[in-house]
């Protein structure tokens, strides 16, 4: 196999990372390899068997040119600062420049202990690997910025959690693994030189247009805020709940990262929480935009010495960034929901129209995904019953439907098509992910494969995947998700 590594992170000051060898998987077995993505990354796998791929992406064999490192980072976890986190069960194998000239990280998760493992074993269980594979690829298919899945490999070694589970290694691809927490790690140590080196690296990599500008570090901060605002608006538009928006799980690139106890909502509830460890609901659906802003304030603090020699002016600039974040989010969110409702242009009452629909859906416990899909059909001339049947008793949709109709205009198949292009038909519903994980634990990967295939074109209503569009029955509902780390 040939991977043309070009490891730029290694050229940064060596206190940003530790060199680590991956653990050797005793009996690596390939679960899935993303050949299309490999091609995009110019990874040449010609002549390699599945066993070769399992050895290379399960840690048994380190590919030529790779220089595995564990990255140092800190982070606010549920609001509390932890000065030392870092890659405790993951390694950056190396970087490649893809076909489009974009630098991408190839990163193993579950590859054994590192100097950052703390009390952990450095391993990953099969369940979380399956979940991350499915959800990250689904996000990509939905058109939402995200890390990607390159490979999943069984290690042949059991890992011990609440029970004994099959161990696995996940290979993730990201445009980088620089997190807000990476800056916090060095800021907390008052290592301004490292913060600056990291900021310069991040600018060159993700915001090259800022190089040579008058205030590149303020530009970096504003750039991250802008991308995070737009990202979180996209999450909201598909009912996605990240679940652990700690500052170590927020990227500088603006990609979704770290699919732990994440989930897509079925019935709409603005305060929905799935994560078993989020007892206060800090990362509930509706809290996500505000948490994004809180995290950006932590990034601003870490960058403060770079922003302006005059610290009062630096604080002022950081505060202005936070205000702008709110504005950008609000606009991106409203734009996304206008599209979801087939509204063209911008009118005074649009915000109320969207909010009133969400209130109605909450009261009527409507399935988030199906409701927007049904509205699309309605806009194309279908009977109202397709939508109203999704709402339970207390909700009366008639007044809202009349307002929407007034705002939208005549029924048309173009409006329906436009709405269906932004309202997914298939999302990775929790009970289906759970089903795929359960089967995989017993060595049956057919559910995983089929779910993955159903999510490849999430905006299409394919008859062969009709069963993936239906919400869970009361017995199938999954109320809790776990990190599984
Ligand atoms: P996460 O929940 O993936 O955001 O991880 C939070 C922190 O815990 C990171 O520093 C991880 O590297 C670390 N961590 C999670 N699971 C393990 C594990 N099994 N072994 C060692 N470190 C871990
Ligand atoms: Mg993490």
């Amino acid at each position: 196999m040939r991977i043309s590594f070009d490891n730029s992170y290694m050229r940064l000051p060596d206190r940003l990372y530790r060199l680590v060898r991956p653990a050797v998987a005793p009996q690596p077995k390939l679960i899935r390899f993303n050949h299309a993505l490999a091609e995009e990354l110019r990874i040449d796998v010609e002549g390699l068997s599945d066993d070769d791929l399992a050895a290379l992406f399960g840690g048994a064999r380190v590919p030529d040119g790779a220089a595995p490192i564990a990255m140092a980072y800190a982070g606010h976890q549920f609001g509390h600062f932890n000065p030392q986190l870092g890659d405790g069960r993951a390694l950056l194998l190396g970087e490649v420049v893809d076909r489009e000239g974009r630098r991408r990280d190839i990163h193993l998760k579950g590859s054994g202990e590192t100097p950052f493992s703390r009390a952990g074993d450095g391993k990953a269980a099969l369940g979380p690997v399956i979940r991350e594979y499915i959800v990250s690829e689904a996000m990509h298919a939905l058109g939402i910025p995200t890390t990607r899945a390159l490979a999943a490999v069984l290690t042949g070694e059991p890992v011990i959690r609440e029970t004994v589970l099959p161990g696995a290694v996940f290979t993730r691809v990201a445009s980088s693994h620089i997190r807000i927490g990476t800056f916090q790690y060095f800021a907390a140590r008052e290592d301004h030189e490292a913060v600056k080196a990291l900021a310069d690296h991040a600018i060159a990599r993700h915001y090259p247009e800022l190089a040579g500008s008058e205030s590149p570090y303020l530009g970096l901060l504003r750039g991250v805020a802008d991308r995070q605002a737009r990202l979180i608006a996209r999450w909201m538009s598909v009912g996605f709940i990240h679940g652990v928006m700690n500052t170590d799980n927020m990227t500088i690139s603006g990609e979704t990262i770290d699919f732990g106890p994440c989930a897509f909502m079925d019935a709409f509830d603005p305060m929905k929480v799935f994560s078993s460890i989020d007892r206060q609901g800090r990362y509930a659906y509706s809290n996500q935009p505000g948490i994004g802003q809180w995290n950006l304030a932590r990034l601003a603090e870490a960058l403060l010495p770079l922003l302006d020699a005059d610290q009062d002016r630096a604080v002022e600039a950081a505060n202005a960034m936070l205000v702008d974040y709110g504005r950008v989010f609000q606009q991106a969110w409203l734009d996304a929901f206008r599209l979801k409702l087939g509204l063209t242009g911008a009118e005074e009452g649009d915000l109320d129209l969207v909010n009133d629909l969400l209130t109605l859906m909450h009261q009527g416990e409507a399935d988030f995904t199906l409701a927007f899909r049904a509205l699309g059909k309605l806009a194309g001339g279908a009977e109202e019953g397709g939508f109203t049947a999704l709402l339970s008793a207390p909700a009366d949709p008639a007044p809202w439907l009349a307002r929407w109709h007034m705002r939208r205009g005549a029924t048309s198949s173009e409006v329906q098509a436009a709405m269906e292009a932004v309202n997914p038909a298939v999302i990775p519903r929790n009970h289906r992910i759970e089903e795929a994980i359960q089967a995989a634990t017993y060595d049956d990967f057919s559910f995983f494969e089929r779910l993955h295939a159903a999510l490849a074109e999430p905006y299409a209503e394919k008859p062969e995947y009709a069963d993936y569009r239906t919400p869970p029955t009361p017995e199938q509902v999954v109320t809790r998700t776990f990190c599984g780390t």
Side-chain angles (χ1 to χ4, degrees), residues 156-354:
E157 182 183 57
V159 297
I160 296 150
R161 298 293 180 259
E162 283 92 47
T163 56
V164 178
L165 295 164
V169 174
F170 178 69
T171 306
R172 162 166 85 187
V173 174
S175 52
S176 89
H177 283 81
I178 307 169
R179 308 146 189 270
I180 289 180
T182 320
F183 285 96
Q184 290 182 289
Y185 181 94
F186 298 100
R189 287 160 179 77
E190 296 186 27
D191 184 347
H192 302 309
E193 199 186 286
V195 173
K196 185 173 179 304
L198 188 62
D200 289 336
H201 176 83
I203 288 169
R205 197 159 171 177
H206 300 298
Y207 303 89
E209 67 282 3
L210 295 173
S213 75
E214 206 172 298
S215 39
Y217 305 113
L218 184 57
L220 172 65
L221 185 59
R222 301 181 74 92
V224 177
D226 189 82
R227 287 193 200 172
Q228 285 292 339
R230 291 172 200 283
L231 176 67
I232 295 170
R234 295 298 308 278
W235 291 355
M236 304 298 281
S237 78
V238 293
F240 178 73
I241 303 165
H242 181 284
V244 240
M245 290 176 70
N246 294 334
T247 56
D248 52 305
N249 292 336
M250 267 185 91
T251 58
I252 298 305
S253 66
E255 286 177 344
T256 312
I257 198 169
D258 277 357
F259 297 84
C262 61
F264 284 74
M265 269 195 278
D266 297 302
F268 179 66
D269 174 358
M271 286 320 286
K272 190 76 193 162
V273 177
F274 287 96
S275 169
S276 61
I277 54 171
D278 189 4
R279 293 200 185 83
Q280 315 287 324
R282 180 181 171 88
Y283 300 137
Y285 174 79
S286 291
N287 289 348
Q288 297 185 117
I291 288 293
Q293 190 176 45
W294 191 89
N295 289 344
L296 287 159
R298 307 289 79 76
L299 177 63
E301 283 164 5
L303 292 176
L304 222 42
L306 293 180
L307 296 185
D308 201 307
D310 175 345
Q311 285 301 280
D312 289 339
R313 282 223 305 265
V315 170
E316 218 172 281
N319 283 332
M321 172 280 294
L322 292 175
V323 173
D324 276 352
Y325 165 89
R327 252 198 301 264
V328 173
F329 171 79
Q330 190 58 33
Q331 191 61 53
W333 180 88
L334 187 54
D335 287 347
F337 278 85
R338 277 195 182 108
L339 287 177
K340 287 177 80 66
L341 288 178
L343 307 180
T344 46
E347 285 183 21
E348 190 76 31
D350 289 351
L351 180 61
D352 287 342
L353 191 68
V354 174

Side-chain angles (χ1 to χ4, degrees), residues 73 77 84-90 109-110 112-114 116-124 161 172 179 242 244 246 248-249 258-261 277 483-485:
Y73 55 85
Q77 298 180 301
Q84 169 119 0
L85 292 166
D87 288 330
R89 54 158 167 174
K109 202 164 168 181
E113 279 180 46
T114 78
F116 301 111
S117 294
R118 296 174 291 155
D121 60 1
K123 302 292 168 66
R161 298 293 180 259
R172 162 166 85 187
R179 308 146 189 270
H242 181 284
V244 240
N246 294 334
D248 52 305
N249 292 336
D258 277 357
F259 297 84
I277 54 171
C483 292
T485 51

Side-chain angles (χ1 to χ4, degrees), residues 29 35 74 100 102 137 212 214 253 369 389 430 435 454:
K29 188 171 160 248
H35 284 277
E100 317 245 303
R102 298 168 302 189
E137 286 302 292
E214 206 172 298
S253 66
T369 305
N430 245 332
E435 174 186 66

